[in-house]
């Protein structure tokens, strides 16, 4: 998307619609992506190791490798959303193809040391694919005028006017920079003709809507692209015959783009406002750091146990936003406020909660295995930073009250017939909200097959997860929601070369 950078101002404060609980949840969640073998077994690798994506669960897993190897994996992602709004349900289906995993491990063996093996590994994993889209259409009693009225009440009318000799786009940016997001939204609503002052005097602070309706028709689209990736540097070792220890440094990189479009009509025939179009664009990018520690112990020839600690991830993020609006009452030059006019925000930080994982696996020699992982992450400990920012402090209090512990259960199995491996997995992840009506529990299952050529291996996996999500169309002034049943389906092909 081409953007003009002539009119750029820096906001001095956070604002409700871009830096909030939704960002914390978005960047605290990691899907079960990775190698085809890892996905086919539901990601239950905490006590197994021997797979490059197992480093996401337990960094001791690289010491389980007997040979150096390289693995590359590509996935086809499919997201299907059934979105209910009012009495209408609309399905949206999108596909994307990504190279989601690349990594290698180097194994060094020793015959005259208690450390039998040392492993050095590197791995790139896409831990979250943000590509997603849904649309809804239906009647509601809450028009977009309520959004602007919510921000306008209490704002001085003189602040919402374009000053003599000032361009409308300059006024829009200046208000955002000096007075904040709320005043800027009130300015948009006023310039678009959706709201009017109760008195036409500069010190007026009360407003009413120009839109008259019993209910209105809304068509809403939300389209998201982006990713959260992790590059891991890992060191692990095998001590004696039965103990594996490891540590990883993780370097995160993310890009998130969200576009929303609202088309509203169906007002009363004598309503001054007859149509409204309102579009928003958010771009977020940044980087993060985390580390992990873990161990795996062989209790006997068949049973292994594992435990790991995943530190918080500390993200450094920047946002920029753009908007455009129109109506039949809008000022003639309203089109100069478009996606070429950017609001840039100061860098902010997010700390995601630490995670603990306990694992157990039963290995049946060369015939196969069963593995189980349990993960615990207290989402109420997530934070927007700096915590000294008043808006972040209040949002962190809201996060602490709304979110709670997330328990995750993963089960995987593998059955080998000569050179062929048959795999299956199951995952259950609790809602991060204390109130599960906002985001429901996630359930998923998976399966796959692999063929060992001796010096190399080819793996294929299929995974499917399902979750219900109650999404606000706008985060202020309107409580209209879309109830979404989201199904993610991944097909992954991986190739492993031993050397």
């Amino acid at each position: 998307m081409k953007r003009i950078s002539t009119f750029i101002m820096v906001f001095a404060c956070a604002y409700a619609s871009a830096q909030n609980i939704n960002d914390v949840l978005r960047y605290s969640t990691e899907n079960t992506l990775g190698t085809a073998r890892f996905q086919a077994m539901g990601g239950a690798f905490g006590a197994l190791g021997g797979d490059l994506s197992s480093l996401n669960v337990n960094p001791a897993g690289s010491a389980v490798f007997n040979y150096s190897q390289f693995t590359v994996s590509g996935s086809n992602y499919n997201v299907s959303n059934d979105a209910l709004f009012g009495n209408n349900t609309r399905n949206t289906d999108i596909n994307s193809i990504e190279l989601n995993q690349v990594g290698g491990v180097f194994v060094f063996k020793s015959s005259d040391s208690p450390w039998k093996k040392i492993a050095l590994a590197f791995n790139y994993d896409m831990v979250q694919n943000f590509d997603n889209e849904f649309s809804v259409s239906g009647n509601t009693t809450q028009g977009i005028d309520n959004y602007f009225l919510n921000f306008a009440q209490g704002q001085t009318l003189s602040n919402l006017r374009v000053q003599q000799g000032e361009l409308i786009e300059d006024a829009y940016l200046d208000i955002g920079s000096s007075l904040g997001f709320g005043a800027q939204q009130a300015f948009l609503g006023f310039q678009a003709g959706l709201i009017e002052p109760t008195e036409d005097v500069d010190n007026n602070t009360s407003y009413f809507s120009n839109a008259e309706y019993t209910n209105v028709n809304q068509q809403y689209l939300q389209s998201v692209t982006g990713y959260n990736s992790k590059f891991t540097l890992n060191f692990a070792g095998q001590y004696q015959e039965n103990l594996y220890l490891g540590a990883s440094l993780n370097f995160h990189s993310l890009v998130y783009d969200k576009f929303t479009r609202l088309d509203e009509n169906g007002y009363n025939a004598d309503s001054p406002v007859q149509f409204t179009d309102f579009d928003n664009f958010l771009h977020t990018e940044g980087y993060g750091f985390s580390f992990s520690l873990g161990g795996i112990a062989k209790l006997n020839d068949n049973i292994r146990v594992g435990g790991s600690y995943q530190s918080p991830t500390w993200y450094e993020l920047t946002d920029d936003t753009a908007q455009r609006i129109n109506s039949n009452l809008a000022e003639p030059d309203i089109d100069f406020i478009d996606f070429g006019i950017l609001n840039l925000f100061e860098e902010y930080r997010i700390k995601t909660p630490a995670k603990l994982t306990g694992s157990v696996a039963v290995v049946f020699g060369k015939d196969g295995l069963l593995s189980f992982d349990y993960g615990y992450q207290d989402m109420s400990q997530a934070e927007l930073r700096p915590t000294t920012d008043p808006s972040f402090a209040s949002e962190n209090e809201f996060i602490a009250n709304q979110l709670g512990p997330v328990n995750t259960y993963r089960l995987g199995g593998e059955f080998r017939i000569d050179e062929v491996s048959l795999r299956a997995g199951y995952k259950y992840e609790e809602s991060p909200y204390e109130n599960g009506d906002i985001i429901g529990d996630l359930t998923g299952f998976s399966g796959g097959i692999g063929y060992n050529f001796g010096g190399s291996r080819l793996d294929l996996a299929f995974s499917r997860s399902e979750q219900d999500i109650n999404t606000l169309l706008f985060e202020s002034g309107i409580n209209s929601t879309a109830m979404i049943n989201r199904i993610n389906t991944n097909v992954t092909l991986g190739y492993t070369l031993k050397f």
Side-chain angles (χ1 to χ4, degrees), residues 15 21 126 156 212 249 298 375 387 412 424:
Y15 68 104
I21 190 172
M126 182 183 291
T156 303
E212 299 176 4
L249 301 178
K298 286 184 179 180
T387 55

Side-chain angles (χ1 to χ4, degrees), residues 352-387:
T352 70
K355 186 174 184 178
L356 296 171
T357 302
S359 311
V360 61
V362 181
V363 179
F364 305 103
K366 295 183 178 181
D367 294 326
L369 55 88
L370 285 173
S371 181
F372 173 77
D373 286 359
Y374 165 73
Y376 177 88
Q377 187 177 31
D378 188 355
M379 294 301 302
S380 68
Q381 300 300 308
E383 288 183 341
L384 287 158
R385 294 183 172 185
T387 55

